[in-house]
Amino acid sequence: AQSVTQPDIHITVSEGASLELRCNYSYGATPYLFWYVQSPGQGLQLLLKYFSGDTLVQGIKGFEAEFKRSQSSFNLRKPSVHWSDAAEYFCAAYAYGNKLVFGAGTILRVKS
Amino acid sequence: IAGITQAPTSQILAAGRRMTLRCTQDMRHNAMYWYRQDLGLGLRLIHYSNTAGTTGKGEVPDGYSVSRANTDDFPLTLASAVPSQTSVYFCASSPKVNQPQHFGDGTRLSIL
């Protein structure tokens, strides 16, 4: 079955430290890939997307993600985390048709 | 400000009652979607509409119905609410299929 996996349910990092959130997908072809962020009580906001081309994509708020076909991964990174980055992050993929499949999410806590 | 408007913001409902969640977008997007979000499960697609006049079933359609009479509106109806439908419901839209989706702020629904 097509799926998106986020192995980490919770991650805690110190403010100013680097961040990497993991995402793996299971599809035969290269899917369209996305990262969304959700603050408490809010809807989801698109951080970045990958459709094709350069495997390192830049997004909003200083985030980037790298598509690695060999590892079926699309990990999200940020060089220096700010307290305002505390939120829940979702990886998602379109594979076949118009159905966007989401991972279960990773909750990011930022220590001051 | 362009975007998606969902109403109500929250609702407590007795089991067995009928309820319609409203969703309106002003971006002239062709495709619209309804998701439910439950802790640990991420977002799951209930129903979708690729264009006005068409609808389709998502991953968890049972107990829900939708209509798409025009481009802007995509209401979700629970014909006879049950406690397992307690969730946060998000409406989303995209310019066309397989494009990034934009989300509303959600409706928190509790069925007692």
PDB file of all heavy atoms in Angstrom, chain A residues 1-4 24-34 50-51 91-102, chain B residues 33 35 45 97-99 101:
ATOM      1  N   ALA A   1       0.844  -1.194   0.000  1.00  0.00           N
ATOM      2  CA  ALA A   1       0.000   0.000   0.000  1.00  0.00           C
ATOM      3  C   ALA A   1       0.883   1.249   0.000  1.00  0.00           C
ATOM      4  O   ALA A   1       1.960   1.264   0.555  1.00  0.00           O
ATOM      5  CB  ALA A   1      -0.904   0.008   1.223  1.00  0.00           C
ATOM      6  N   GLN A   2       0.370   2.283  -0.661  1.00  0.00           N
ATOM      7  CA  GLN A   2       1.131   3.526  -0.688  1.00  0.00           C
ATOM      8  C   GLN A   2       1.096   4.156   0.695  1.00  0.00           C
ATOM      9  O   GLN A   2       0.035   4.262   1.306  1.00  0.00           O
ATOM     10  CB  GLN A   2       0.502   4.470  -1.707  1.00  0.00           C
ATOM     11  CG  GLN A   2       0.440   3.876  -3.102  1.00  0.00           C
ATOM     12  CD  GLN A   2      -0.658   4.478  -3.938  1.00  0.00           C
ATOM     13  OE1 GLN A   2      -1.273   5.450  -3.547  1.00  0.00           O
ATOM     14  NE2 GLN A   2      -0.911   3.899  -5.088  1.00  0.00           N
ATOM     15  N   SER A   3       2.246   4.626   1.171  1.00  0.00           N
ATOM     16  CA  SER A   3       2.279   5.197   2.513  1.00  0.00           C
ATOM     17  C   SER A   3       3.394   6.210   2.650  1.00  0.00           C
ATOM     18  O   SER A   3       4.354   6.225   1.876  1.00  0.00           O
ATOM     19  CB  SER A   3       2.450   4.100   3.563  1.00  0.00           C
ATOM     20  OG  SER A   3       3.709   3.487   3.436  1.00  0.00           O
ATOM     21  N   VAL A   4       3.231   7.065   3.643  1.00  0.00           N
ATOM     22  CA  VAL A   4       4.244   8.037   4.028  1.00  0.00           C
ATOM     23  C   VAL A   4       4.524   7.810   5.507  1.00  0.00           C
ATOM     24  O   VAL A   4       3.591   7.772   6.311  1.00  0.00           O
ATOM     25  CB  VAL A   4       3.759   9.474   3.784  1.00  0.00           C
ATOM     26  CG1 VAL A   4       4.775  10.473   4.314  1.00  0.00           C
ATOM     27  CG2 VAL A   4       3.509   9.706   2.299  1.00  0.00           C
ATOM     28  N   ASN A  24       9.830   9.098   4.983  1.00  0.00           N
ATOM     29  CA  ASN A  24      10.042   8.067   3.981  1.00  0.00           C
ATOM     30  C   ASN A  24       8.722   7.744   3.294  1.00  0.00           C
ATOM     31  O   ASN A  24       7.661   7.823   3.908  1.00  0.00           O
ATOM     32  CB  ASN A  24      10.602   6.790   4.619  1.00  0.00           C
ATOM     33  CG  ASN A  24      11.977   6.992   5.184  1.00  0.00           C
ATOM     34  OD1 ASN A  24      12.135   7.274   6.372  1.00  0.00           O
ATOM     35  ND2 ASN A  24      12.976   6.892   4.349  1.00  0.00           N
ATOM     36  N   TYR A  25       8.783   7.400   2.013  1.00  0.00           N
ATOM     37  CA  TYR A  25       7.577   7.075   1.273  1.00  0.00           C
ATOM     38  C   TYR A  25       7.753   5.704   0.619  1.00  0.00           C
ATOM     39  O   TYR A  25       8.879   5.263   0.381  1.00  0.00           O
ATOM     40  CB  TYR A  25       7.285   8.138   0.213  1.00  0.00           C
ATOM     41  CG  TYR A  25       8.360   8.246  -0.843  1.00  0.00           C
ATOM     42  CD1 TYR A  25       8.301   7.486  -1.998  1.00  0.00           C
ATOM     43  CD2 TYR A  25       9.449   9.104  -0.668  1.00  0.00           C
ATOM     44  CE1 TYR A  25       9.298   7.554  -2.957  1.00  0.00           C
ATOM     45  CE2 TYR A  25      10.449   9.172  -1.610  1.00  0.00           C
ATOM     46  CZ  TYR A  25      10.370   8.404  -2.753  1.00  0.00           C
ATOM     47  OH  TYR A  25      11.359   8.482  -3.687  1.00  0.00           O
ATOM     48  N   SER A  26       6.645   5.085   0.329  1.00  0.00           N
ATOM     49  CA  SER A  26       6.690   3.788  -0.334  1.00  0.00           C
ATOM     50  C   SER A  26       5.813   3.842  -1.577  1.00  0.00           C
ATOM     51  O   SER A  26       4.604   3.630  -1.511  1.00  0.00           O
ATOM     52  CB  SER A  26       6.202   2.671   0.596  1.00  0.00           C
ATOM     53  OG  SER A  26       4.862   2.882   0.949  1.00  0.00           O
ATOM     54  N   TYR A  27       6.429   4.198  -2.694  1.00  0.00           N
ATOM     55  CA  TYR A  27       5.748   4.253  -3.977  1.00  0.00           C
ATOM     56  C   TYR A  27       6.702   3.740  -5.039  1.00  0.00           C
ATOM     57  O   TYR A  27       7.897   3.891  -4.914  1.00  0.00           O
ATOM     58  CB  TYR A  27       5.330   5.688  -4.337  1.00  0.00           C
ATOM     59  CG  TYR A  27       4.362   6.298  -3.370  1.00  0.00           C
ATOM     60  CD1 TYR A  27       4.808   7.109  -2.347  1.00  0.00           C
ATOM     61  CD2 TYR A  27       3.003   6.060  -3.481  1.00  0.00           C
ATOM     62  CE1 TYR A  27       3.930   7.665  -1.452  1.00  0.00           C
ATOM     63  CE2 TYR A  27       2.112   6.613  -2.583  1.00  0.00           C
ATOM     64  CZ  TYR A  27       2.580   7.418  -1.569  1.00  0.00           C
ATOM     65  OH  TYR A  27       1.704   7.963  -0.686  1.00  0.00           O
ATOM     66  N   GLY A  28       6.144   3.183  -6.101  1.00  0.00           N
ATOM     67  CA  GLY A  28       6.997   2.680  -7.164  1.00  0.00           C
ATOM     68  C   GLY A  28       7.634   3.801  -7.953  1.00  0.00           C
ATOM     69  O   GLY A  28       8.810   3.769  -8.272  1.00  0.00           O
ATOM     70  N   ALA A  29       6.869   4.825  -8.246  1.00  0.00           N
ATOM     71  CA  ALA A  29       7.371   5.957  -9.009  1.00  0.00           C
ATOM     72  C   ALA A  29       7.702   7.102  -8.051  1.00  0.00           C
ATOM     73  O   ALA A  29       7.367   7.059  -6.876  1.00  0.00           O
ATOM     74  CB  ALA A  29       6.324   6.400 -10.008  1.00  0.00           C
ATOM     75  N   THR A  30       8.378   8.120  -8.562  1.00  0.00           N
ATOM     76  CA  THR A  30       8.678   9.287  -7.733  1.00  0.00           C
ATOM     77  C   THR A  30       7.403  10.093  -7.523  1.00  0.00           C
ATOM     78  O   THR A  30       6.804  10.575  -8.483  1.00  0.00           O
ATOM     79  CB  THR A  30       9.739  10.163  -8.414  1.00  0.00           C
ATOM     80  OG1 THR A  30      10.930   9.400  -8.568  1.00  0.00           O
ATOM     81  CG2 THR A  30      10.025  11.386  -7.558  1.00  0.00           C
ATOM     82  N   PRO A  31       6.989  10.236  -6.288  1.00  0.00           N
ATOM     83  CA  PRO A  31       5.763  11.005  -6.040  1.00  0.00           C
ATOM     84  C   PRO A  31       6.055  12.494  -5.975  1.00  0.00           C
ATOM     85  O   PRO A  31       7.211  12.909  -5.937  1.00  0.00           O
ATOM     86  CB  PRO A  31       5.332  10.493  -4.672  1.00  0.00           C
ATOM     87  CG  PRO A  31       6.625  10.149  -3.985  1.00  0.00           C
ATOM     88  CD  PRO A  31       7.564   9.673  -5.063  1.00  0.00           C
ATOM     89  N   TYR A  32       5.012  13.286  -5.988  1.00  0.00           N
ATOM     90  CA  TYR A  32       5.136  14.688  -5.631  1.00  0.00           C
ATOM     91  C   TYR A  32       5.164  14.743  -4.101  1.00  0.00           C
ATOM     92  O   TYR A  32       4.331  14.135  -3.443  1.00  0.00           O
ATOM     93  CB  TYR A  32       3.948  15.489  -6.152  1.00  0.00           C
ATOM     94  CG  TYR A  32       3.834  15.549  -7.656  1.00  0.00           C
ATOM     95  CD1 TYR A  32       2.642  15.924  -8.257  1.00  0.00           C
ATOM     96  CD2 TYR A  32       4.905  15.249  -8.490  1.00  0.00           C
ATOM     97  CE1 TYR A  32       2.513  15.996  -9.636  1.00  0.00           C
ATOM     98  CE2 TYR A  32       4.791  15.318  -9.858  1.00  0.00           C
ATOM     99  CZ  TYR A  32       3.600  15.684 -10.437  1.00  0.00           C
ATOM    100  OH  TYR A  32       3.469  15.751 -11.801  1.00  0.00           O
ATOM    101  N   LEU A  33       6.093  15.483  -3.538  1.00  0.00           N
ATOM    102  CA  LEU A  33       6.331  15.469  -2.098  1.00  0.00           C
ATOM    103  C   LEU A  33       6.182  16.859  -1.494  1.00  0.00           C
ATOM    104  O   LEU A  33       6.558  17.850  -2.129  1.00  0.00           O
ATOM    105  CB  LEU A  33       7.724  14.919  -1.804  1.00  0.00           C
ATOM    106  CG  LEU A  33       7.933  13.447  -2.194  1.00  0.00           C
ATOM    107  CD1 LEU A  33       9.406  13.142  -2.346  1.00  0.00           C
ATOM    108  CD2 LEU A  33       7.294  12.537  -1.162  1.00  0.00           C
ATOM    109  N   PHE A  34       5.671  16.908  -0.277  1.00  0.00           N
ATOM    110  CA  PHE A  34       5.404  18.176   0.397  1.00  0.00           C
ATOM    111  C   PHE A  34       5.750  18.050   1.879  1.00  0.00           C
ATOM    112  O   PHE A  34       5.685  16.969   2.468  1.00  0.00           O
ATOM    113  CB  PHE A  34       3.910  18.538   0.300  1.00  0.00           C
ATOM    114  CG  PHE A  34       3.362  18.521  -1.091  1.00  0.00           C
ATOM    115  CD1 PHE A  34       2.879  17.346  -1.644  1.00  0.00           C
ATOM    116  CD2 PHE A  34       3.309  19.680  -1.844  1.00  0.00           C
ATOM    117  CE1 PHE A  34       2.369  17.319  -2.933  1.00  0.00           C
ATOM    118  CE2 PHE A  34       2.792  19.663  -3.136  1.00  0.00           C
ATOM    119  CZ  PHE A  34       2.326  18.486  -3.667  1.00  0.00           C
ATOM    120  N   TYR A  50       8.323  19.297  -3.681  1.00  0.00           N
ATOM    121  CA  TYR A  50       9.219  18.735  -4.679  1.00  0.00           C
ATOM    122  C   TYR A  50       8.396  18.043  -5.742  1.00  0.00           C
ATOM    123  O   TYR A  50       7.611  17.135  -5.441  1.00  0.00           O
ATOM    124  CB  TYR A  50      10.194  17.737  -4.050  1.00  0.00           C
ATOM    125  CG  TYR A  50      11.036  17.031  -5.080  1.00  0.00           C
ATOM    126  CD1 TYR A  50      12.107  17.683  -5.683  1.00  0.00           C
ATOM    127  CD2 TYR A  50      10.737  15.733  -5.478  1.00  0.00           C
ATOM    128  CE1 TYR A  50      12.865  17.054  -6.652  1.00  0.00           C
ATOM    129  CE2 TYR A  50      11.489  15.093  -6.449  1.00  0.00           C
ATOM    130  CZ  TYR A  50      12.553  15.764  -7.029  1.00  0.00           C
ATOM    131  OH  TYR A  50      13.299  15.138  -7.995  1.00  0.00           O
ATOM    132  N   PHE A  51       8.612  18.475  -6.999  1.00  0.00           N
ATOM    133  CA  PHE A  51       7.932  17.818  -8.108  1.00  0.00           C
ATOM    134  C   PHE A  51       8.945  17.092  -8.988  1.00  0.00           C
ATOM    135  O   PHE A  51       8.732  15.952  -9.386  1.00  0.00           O
ATOM    136  CB  PHE A  51       7.147  18.829  -8.944  1.00  0.00           C
ATOM    137  CG  PHE A  51       5.841  19.263  -8.324  1.00  0.00           C
ATOM    138  CD1 PHE A  51       5.468  18.880  -7.056  1.00  0.00           C
ATOM    139  CD2 PHE A  51       4.972  20.082  -9.034  1.00  0.00           C
ATOM    140  CE1 PHE A  51       4.273  19.272  -6.480  1.00  0.00           C
ATOM    141  CE2 PHE A  51       3.754  20.484  -8.469  1.00  0.00           C
ATOM    142  CZ  PHE A  51       3.413  20.082  -7.204  1.00  0.00           C
ATOM    143  N   CYS A  91       4.717  15.402   6.574  1.00  0.00           N
ATOM    144  CA  CYS A  91       5.184  15.074   5.243  1.00  0.00           C
ATOM    145  C   CYS A  91       4.002  14.482   4.475  1.00  0.00           C
ATOM    146  O   CYS A  91       3.160  13.778   5.063  1.00  0.00           O
ATOM    147  CB  CYS A  91       6.317  14.053   5.341  1.00  0.00           C
ATOM    148  SG  CYS A  91       7.065  13.592   3.784  1.00  0.00           S
ATOM    149  N   ALA A  92       3.922  14.762   3.180  1.00  0.00           N
ATOM    150  CA  ALA A  92       2.792  14.260   2.393  1.00  0.00           C
ATOM    151  C   ALA A  92       3.243  13.982   0.971  1.00  0.00           C
ATOM    152  O   ALA A  92       4.222  14.570   0.497  1.00  0.00           O
ATOM    153  CB  ALA A  92       1.647  15.266   2.396  1.00  0.00           C
ATOM    154  N   ALA A  93       2.514  13.103   0.289  1.00  0.00           N
ATOM    155  CA  ALA A  93       2.887  12.717  -1.073  1.00  0.00           C
ATOM    156  C   ALA A  93       1.654  12.453  -1.917  1.00  0.00           C
ATOM    157  O   ALA A  93       0.676  11.866  -1.461  1.00  0.00           O
ATOM    158  CB  ALA A  93       3.761  11.466  -1.041  1.00  0.00           C
ATOM    159  N   TYR A  94       1.707  12.923  -3.153  1.00  0.00           N
ATOM    160  CA  TYR A  94       0.783  12.489  -4.197  1.00  0.00           C
ATOM    161  C   TYR A  94       1.481  11.356  -4.938  1.00  0.00           C
ATOM    162  O   TYR A  94       2.622  11.512  -5.355  1.00  0.00           O
ATOM    163  CB  TYR A  94       0.540  13.588  -5.232  1.00  0.00           C
ATOM    164  CG  TYR A  94      -0.453  14.648  -4.907  1.00  0.00           C
ATOM    165  CD1 TYR A  94      -0.078  15.977  -4.933  1.00  0.00           C
ATOM    166  CD2 TYR A  94      -1.775  14.350  -4.625  1.00  0.00           C
ATOM    167  CE1 TYR A  94      -0.979  16.988  -4.669  1.00  0.00           C
ATOM    168  CE2 TYR A  94      -2.694  15.346  -4.353  1.00  0.00           C
ATOM    169  CZ  TYR A  94      -2.286  16.664  -4.369  1.00  0.00           C
ATOM    170  OH  TYR A  94      -3.187  17.656  -4.117  1.00  0.00           O
ATOM    171  N   ALA A  95       0.780  10.247  -5.119  1.00  0.00           N
ATOM    172  CA  ALA A  95       1.351   9.187  -5.945  1.00  0.00           C
ATOM    173  C   ALA A  95       0.499   8.995  -7.180  1.00  0.00           C
ATOM    174  O   ALA A  95       0.835   9.448  -8.249  1.00  0.00           O
ATOM    175  CB  ALA A  95       1.476   7.908  -5.149  1.00  0.00           C
ATOM    176  N   TYR A  96      -0.662   8.372  -7.000  1.00  0.00           N
ATOM    177  CA  TYR A  96      -1.534   8.101  -8.116  1.00  0.00           C
ATOM    178  C   TYR A  96      -2.860   8.807  -7.901  1.00  0.00           C
ATOM    179  O   TYR A  96      -3.406   8.807  -6.821  1.00  0.00           O
ATOM    180  CB  TYR A  96      -1.767   6.586  -8.256  1.00  0.00           C
ATOM    181  CG  TYR A  96      -0.469   5.821  -8.271  1.00  0.00           C
ATOM    182  CD1 TYR A  96      -0.094   5.033  -7.198  1.00  0.00           C
ATOM    183  CD2 TYR A  96       0.397   5.918  -9.353  1.00  0.00           C
ATOM    184  CE1 TYR A  96       1.095   4.333  -7.200  1.00  0.00           C
ATOM    185  CE2 TYR A  96       1.601   5.235  -9.356  1.00  0.00           C
ATOM    186  CZ  TYR A  96       1.947   4.437  -8.282  1.00  0.00           C
ATOM    187  OH  TYR A  96       3.124   3.765  -8.285  1.00  0.00           O
ATOM    188  N   GLY A  97      -3.350   9.430  -8.954  1.00  0.00           N
ATOM    189  CA  GLY A  97      -4.612  10.138  -8.812  1.00  0.00           C
ATOM    190  C   GLY A  97      -4.441  11.418  -8.037  1.00  0.00           C
ATOM    191  O   GLY A  97      -3.365  11.989  -7.983  1.00  0.00           O
ATOM    192  N   ASN A  98      -5.497  11.850  -7.405  1.00  0.00           N
ATOM    193  CA  ASN A  98      -5.505  13.145  -6.744  1.00  0.00           C
ATOM    194  C   ASN A  98      -5.550  12.999  -5.232  1.00  0.00           C
ATOM    195  O   ASN A  98      -6.082  13.853  -4.543  1.00  0.00           O
ATOM    196  CB  ASN A  98      -6.719  13.936  -7.224  1.00  0.00           C
ATOM    197  CG  ASN A  98      -6.669  15.371  -6.761  1.00  0.00           C
ATOM    198  OD1 ASN A  98      -5.603  15.926  -6.556  1.00  0.00           O
ATOM    199  ND2 ASN A  98      -7.825  15.961  -6.559  1.00  0.00           N
ATOM    200  N   LYS A  99      -5.009  11.936  -4.678  1.00  0.00           N
ATOM    201  CA  LYS A  99      -5.138  11.702  -3.244  1.00  0.00           C
ATOM    202  C   LYS A  99      -3.802  11.956  -2.570  1.00  0.00           C
ATOM    203  O   LYS A  99      -2.820  11.252  -2.800  1.00  0.00           O
ATOM    204  CB  LYS A  99      -5.643  10.288  -3.004  1.00  0.00           C
ATOM    205  CG  LYS A  99      -7.017  10.069  -3.615  1.00  0.00           C
ATOM    206  CD  LYS A  99      -7.537   8.665  -3.399  1.00  0.00           C
ATOM    207  CE  LYS A  99      -8.898   8.516  -4.090  1.00  0.00           C
ATOM    208  NZ  LYS A  99      -9.436   7.153  -3.962  1.00  0.00           N
ATOM    209  N   LEU A 100      -3.791  12.978  -1.733  1.00  0.00           N
ATOM    210  CA  LEU A 100      -2.598  13.338  -0.982  1.00  0.00           C
ATOM    211  C   LEU A 100      -2.563  12.485   0.275  1.00  0.00           C
ATOM    212  O   LEU A 100      -3.498  12.496   1.070  1.00  0.00           O
ATOM    213  CB  LEU A 100      -2.648  14.831  -0.635  1.00  0.00           C
ATOM    214  CG  LEU A 100      -1.404  15.465  -0.036  1.00  0.00           C
ATOM    215  CD1 LEU A 100      -0.224  15.367  -0.985  1.00  0.00           C
ATOM    216  CD2 LEU A 100      -1.690  16.922   0.305  1.00  0.00           C
ATOM    217  N   VAL A 101      -1.465  11.748   0.447  1.00  0.00           N
ATOM    218  CA  VAL A 101      -1.311  10.864   1.607  1.00  0.00           C
ATOM    219  C   VAL A 101      -0.369  11.522   2.599  1.00  0.00           C
ATOM    220  O   VAL A 101       0.739  11.936   2.215  1.00  0.00           O
ATOM    221  CB  VAL A 101      -0.769   9.492   1.183  1.00  0.00           C
ATOM    222  CG1 VAL A 101      -0.536   8.617   2.407  1.00  0.00           C
ATOM    223  CG2 VAL A 101      -1.747   8.807   0.228  1.00  0.00           C
ATOM    224  N   PHE A 102      -0.792  11.618   3.861  1.00  0.00           N
ATOM    225  CA  PHE A 102      -0.011  12.270   4.897  1.00  0.00           C
ATOM    226  C   PHE A 102       0.664  11.264   5.805  1.00  0.00           C
ATOM    227  O   PHE A 102       0.113  10.191   6.091  1.00  0.00           O
ATOM    228  CB  PHE A 102      -0.915  13.157   5.762  1.00  0.00           C
ATOM    229  CG  PHE A 102      -1.340  14.429   5.100  1.00  0.00           C
ATOM    230  CD1 PHE A 102      -2.453  14.455   4.271  1.00  0.00           C
ATOM    231  CD2 PHE A 102      -0.636  15.607   5.308  1.00  0.00           C
ATOM    232  CE1 PHE A 102      -2.858  15.630   3.654  1.00  0.00           C
ATOM    233  CE2 PHE A 102      -1.033  16.788   4.702  1.00  0.00           C
ATOM    234  CZ  PHE A 102      -2.139  16.797   3.873  1.00  0.00           C
TER     235      PHE A 102
ATOM    236  N   TYR B  33     -11.239  19.389  -1.002  1.00  0.00           N
ATOM    237  CA  TYR B  33     -11.039  18.159  -0.236  1.00  0.00           C
ATOM    238  C   TYR B  33     -11.577  18.336   1.186  1.00  0.00           C
ATOM    239  O   TYR B  33     -11.557  19.438   1.727  1.00  0.00           O
ATOM    240  CB  TYR B  33      -9.548  17.829  -0.128  1.00  0.00           C
ATOM    241  CG  TYR B  33      -8.773  17.988  -1.401  1.00  0.00           C
ATOM    242  CD1 TYR B  33      -8.281  19.235  -1.791  1.00  0.00           C
ATOM    243  CD2 TYR B  33      -8.524  16.903  -2.221  1.00  0.00           C
ATOM    244  CE1 TYR B  33      -7.574  19.394  -2.968  1.00  0.00           C
ATOM    245  CE2 TYR B  33      -7.806  17.050  -3.395  1.00  0.00           C
ATOM    246  CZ  TYR B  33      -7.334  18.293  -3.767  1.00  0.00           C
ATOM    247  OH  TYR B  33      -6.624  18.434  -4.936  1.00  0.00           O
ATOM    248  N   TYR B  35     -10.778  16.512   4.987  1.00  0.00           N
ATOM    249  CA  TYR B  35      -9.974  15.603   5.784  1.00  0.00           C
ATOM    250  C   TYR B  35     -10.489  15.591   7.216  1.00  0.00           C
ATOM    251  O   TYR B  35     -11.050  16.564   7.691  1.00  0.00           O
ATOM    252  CB  TYR B  35      -8.516  16.062   5.832  1.00  0.00           C
ATOM    253  CG  TYR B  35      -7.782  16.039   4.528  1.00  0.00           C
ATOM    254  CD1 TYR B  35      -7.784  17.145   3.687  1.00  0.00           C
ATOM    255  CD2 TYR B  35      -7.052  14.918   4.139  1.00  0.00           C
ATOM    256  CE1 TYR B  35      -7.088  17.130   2.489  1.00  0.00           C
ATOM    257  CE2 TYR B  35      -6.357  14.894   2.940  1.00  0.00           C
ATOM    258  CZ  TYR B  35      -6.377  16.000   2.124  1.00  0.00           C
ATOM    259  OH  TYR B  35      -5.682  15.975   0.941  1.00  0.00           O
ATOM    260  N   LEU B  45      -8.180  11.478   4.184  1.00  0.00           N
ATOM    261  CA  LEU B  45      -9.092  12.054   3.208  1.00  0.00           C
ATOM    262  C   LEU B  45     -10.467  11.404   3.314  1.00  0.00           C
ATOM    263  O   LEU B  45     -10.597  10.181   3.277  1.00  0.00           O
ATOM    264  CB  LEU B  45      -8.520  11.862   1.806  1.00  0.00           C
ATOM    265  CG  LEU B  45      -9.304  12.456   0.656  1.00  0.00           C
ATOM    266  CD1 LEU B  45      -9.326  13.976   0.734  1.00  0.00           C
ATOM    267  CD2 LEU B  45      -8.702  12.002  -0.673  1.00  0.00           C
ATOM    268  N   VAL B  97      -5.679  19.194  -9.881  1.00  0.00           N
ATOM    269  CA  VAL B  97      -5.203  17.968  -9.238  1.00  0.00           C
ATOM    270  C   VAL B  97      -3.680  17.960  -9.169  1.00  0.00           C
ATOM    271  O   VAL B  97      -2.995  18.534 -10.018  1.00  0.00           O
ATOM    272  CB  VAL B  97      -5.723  16.722  -9.982  1.00  0.00           C
ATOM    273  CG1 VAL B  97      -7.239  16.697  -9.922  1.00  0.00           C
ATOM    274  CG2 VAL B  97      -5.225  16.656 -11.401  1.00  0.00           C
ATOM    275  N   ASN B  98      -3.168  17.317  -8.112  1.00  0.00           N
ATOM    276  CA  ASN B  98      -1.739  17.124  -7.892  1.00  0.00           C
ATOM    277  C   ASN B  98      -0.971  18.421  -7.640  1.00  0.00           C
ATOM    278  O   ASN B  98       0.249  18.446  -7.736  1.00  0.00           O
ATOM    279  CB  ASN B  98      -1.088  16.351  -9.041  1.00  0.00           C
ATOM    280  CG  ASN B  98      -1.592  14.914  -9.098  1.00  0.00           C
ATOM    281  OD1 ASN B  98      -1.983  14.352  -8.090  1.00  0.00           O
ATOM    282  ND2 ASN B  98      -1.593  14.340 -10.277  1.00  0.00           N
ATOM    283  N   GLN B  99      -1.663  19.497  -7.319  1.00  0.00           N
ATOM    284  CA  GLN B  99      -1.015  20.743  -6.936  1.00  0.00           C
ATOM    285  C   GLN B  99      -1.059  20.893  -5.418  1.00  0.00           C
ATOM    286  O   GLN B  99      -1.863  20.248  -4.744  1.00  0.00           O
ATOM    287  CB  GLN B  99      -1.733  21.927  -7.589  1.00  0.00           C
ATOM    288  CG  GLN B  99      -1.556  21.969  -9.100  1.00  0.00           C
ATOM    289  CD  GLN B  99      -0.121  22.225  -9.494  1.00  0.00           C
ATOM    290  OE1 GLN B  99       0.494  23.184  -9.068  1.00  0.00           O
ATOM    291  NE2 GLN B  99       0.426  21.347 -10.321  1.00  0.00           N
ATOM    292  N   GLN B 101      -1.978  21.849  -1.758  1.00  0.00           N
ATOM    293  CA  GLN B 101      -3.300  22.154  -1.209  1.00  0.00           C
ATOM    294  C   GLN B 101      -3.197  23.256  -0.153  1.00  0.00           C
ATOM    295  O   GLN B 101      -2.250  23.308   0.620  1.00  0.00           O
ATOM    296  CB  GLN B 101      -3.904  20.889  -0.596  1.00  0.00           C
ATOM    297  CG  GLN B 101      -4.183  19.821  -1.642  1.00  0.00           C
ATOM    298  CD  GLN B 101      -4.817  18.584  -1.061  1.00  0.00           C
ATOM    299  OE1 GLN B 101      -5.316  18.581   0.063  1.00  0.00           O
ATOM    300  NE2 GLN B 101      -4.824  17.501  -1.835  1.00  0.00           N
TER     301      GLN B 101
END
